[in-house]
Amino acid sequence: MSTGKMMRTLITTHPLLLLLLLQQLLQPVQFQEVDTDFDSPDDDMEEFEEYLEEFHRTGPTRPPTKEKVERRVIIEPGMPLYDRDYCNEEIMRKNVYHKHRCVTEHYFLLMQYDELQKICYNRFVPCKNGVRKCNRSKGLVEGVYCNLTEAFEIPWCKYESFYRRGYVLITCTWQNEIHKLIPHTINDLVEPPKHRSFLNEDGVFVIPP
């Protein structure tokens, strides 16, 4: 078997094992972001090269791209969103980590990327965690909120999974290459109040008289 074929086989079948091995071999190099998701065999080497570039990078993590957001955030119908192990399985499958550590929280959204990207042009609303401005979806979106409960280093991350149906709050960033705003961070998935209400033009919940 050729060296190239052996490498592709290792990447496809044991991506997490390969990442852990690389960490040991290349210490004290600092992890910048573990972000590998090898869905298509044809893209294995390209994905692996992208990962190595991030691995060796000493500056800030590269800004998000459409492909990265699609891999890490967008989900397709399939596994029930109410499943209590949803986050544990999906975060591991999609390799959602940061600098070789567990992310403290994460959101998976059941929607198309184009729909998410359009939210970048909606009105600004207050965010959570001290972020001043977020764009909010006009309609309700289904998704799963993942909250870290155990461990801080991969692969021992454990999460609680919470199904939500609400308004997506996101931050966006300008991408010069395509001259468009693209999603940067999912800030929250806010469930609407249980009582009858509606949103005014400023995005504020108003209770009808």
Side-chain angles (χ1 to χ4, degrees):
M1 181 182 295
S2 66
T3 301
K5 188 173 182 180
M6 290 177 63
M7 178 63 74
R8 288 193 294 272
T9 301
L10 178 60
I11 294 169
T12 305
T13 58
H14 302 287
L16 183 56
L17 178 61
L18 181 58
L19 299 185
L20 296 175
L21 177 61
L22 283 172
Q23 183 194 23
Q24 297 299 318
L25 293 175
L26 298 177
Q27 286 182 343
V29 179
Q30 182 182 18
F31 257 87
Q32 290 303 312
E33 183 172 0
V34 178
D35 184 14
T36 56
D37 187 9
F38 306 107
D39 290 331
S40 171
D42 294 337
D43 296 331
D44 284 349
M45 293 308 298
E46 181 178 350
E47 294 269 0
F48 184 59
E49 290 172 0
E50 178 184 340
Y51 159 70
L52 287 179
E53 181 181 347
E54 289 288 340
F55 186 93
H56 290 288
R57 184 180 296 270
T58 57
T61 302
R62 290 191 309 177
T65 62
K66 173 183 177 181
E67 292 74 19
K68 183 178 291 186
V69 173
E70 284 182 317
R71 290 200 307 267
R72 294 166 63 102
V73 175
I74 303 300
I75 54 178
E76 299 292 337
M79 184 178 179
L81 301 184
Y82 289 96
D83 194 306
R84 65 181 182 179
D85 288 324
Y86 191 98
C87 292
N88 291 325
E89 294 188 18
E90 284 298 291
I91 282 182
M92 179 173 289
R93 188 177 73 85
K94 292 178 176 291
N95 293 299
V96 181
Y97 307 112
H98 180 66
K99 296 184 179 180
H100 201 52
R101 296 177 69 85
C102 315
V103 295
T104 56
E105 65 177 9
H106 190 71
Y107 294 88
F108 292 112
L109 304 177
L110 186 61
M111 63 188 309
Q112 298 296 318
Y113 175 85
D114 290 344
E115 296 174 348
L116 181 65
Q117 193 267 336
K118 289 178 182 178
I119 298 174
C120 291
Y121 295 90
N122 291 353
R123 289 177 176 269
F124 286 120
V125 298
C127 316
K128 71 173 185 179
N129 298 335
V131 181
R132 295 183 59 186
K133 289 184 177 180
C134 280
N135 301 95
R136 195 205 50 221
S137 63
K138 295 180 179 179
L140 300 179
V141 176
E142 288 187 286
V144 180
Y145 168 63
C146 305
N147 182 50
L148 181 68
T149 58
E150 295 180 31
F152 292 96
E153 295 186 356
I154 62 173
W156 298 282
C157 315
K158 295 294 182 183
Y159 293 86
E160 281 188 291
S161 304
F162 300 93
Y163 167 81
R164 288 188 183 178
R165 183 173 181 270
Y167 297 94
V168 180
L169 304 185
I170 67 174
T171 61
C172 300
T173 185
W174 179 260
Q175 194 170 72
N176 287 325
E177 292 80 2
I178 60 175
H179 300 287
K180 288 183 179 180
L181 287 168
I182 66 168
H184 183 278
T185 303
I186 309 302
N187 181 267
D188 205 353
L189 186 54
V190 183
E191 297 178 312
K194 295 183 183 299
H195 53 68
R196 181 173 176 267
S197 62
F198 64 94
L199 297 173
N200 64 16
E201 292 183 355
D202 295 322
V204 178
F205 286 106
V206 178
I207 303 175

